[in-house]
């Protein structure tokens, strides 16, 4: 996660990358992918593409990018991108 954060240049920003190697947070948030998908893609057990806006530990907005035939949200990640989240936060 540190290498990815460095590559994305988030040092000093409000963004925090969090690792979840045992999927404990993923399961607690009910964000585990269960779509059968192509087995070669390794979808089962992965975390869904999601974004959370929280204030002082209280979750205010949660958005998930997924579709019926796109469980990873690769085709349309817009709900979890900055613009989509800012729109949801302002609503």
């Amino acid at each position: 996660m540190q290498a990815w954060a460095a590559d994305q240049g988030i040092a000093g920003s409000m963004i925090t990358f969090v690792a979840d190697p045992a999927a404990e947070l993923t399961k607690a948030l009910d964000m585990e992918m269960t779509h059968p998908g192509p087995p070669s893609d390794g979808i089962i057990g992965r975390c869904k593409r999601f974004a959370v806006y929280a204030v002082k530990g209280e979750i205010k907005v949660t958005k998930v990018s997924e579709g019926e035939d796109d469980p990873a949200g690769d085709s349309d990640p817009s709900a979890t991108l900055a613009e989509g989240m800012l729109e949801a936060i302002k609503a």
Side-chain angles (χ1 to χ4, degrees):
M1 296 305 296
Q2 291 174 347
W4 186 24
D7 179 66
Q8 297 302 304
I10 68 164
S13 76
M14 61 187 261
I15 298 170
T16 302
F17 284 1
V18 180
D20 186 25
E24 293 171 1
L25 180 62
T26 298
K27 291 174 184 173
L29 294 173
D30 195 26
M31 291 293 169
E32 185 176 14
M33 279 196 222
T34 56
H35 188 281
S40 62
D41 287 346
I43 287 181
I44 301 296
R46 281 183 45 205
C47 185
K48 294 179 181 182
R49 182 186 310 261
F50 74 99
V52 170
Y53 172 66
V55 177
K56 296 184 180 182
E58 181 182 345
I59 295 175
K60 302 286 188 176
V61 176
T62 302
K63 291 293 181 180
V64 180
S65 289
E66 65 181 337
E68 188 175 319
D69 293 325
D70 182 24
D74 293 332
S75 295
D76 182 14
S78 60
T80 55
L81 297 178
E83 295 83 7
M85 282 301 290
L86 288 172
E87 184 177 309
I89 290 166
K90 290 176 183 177

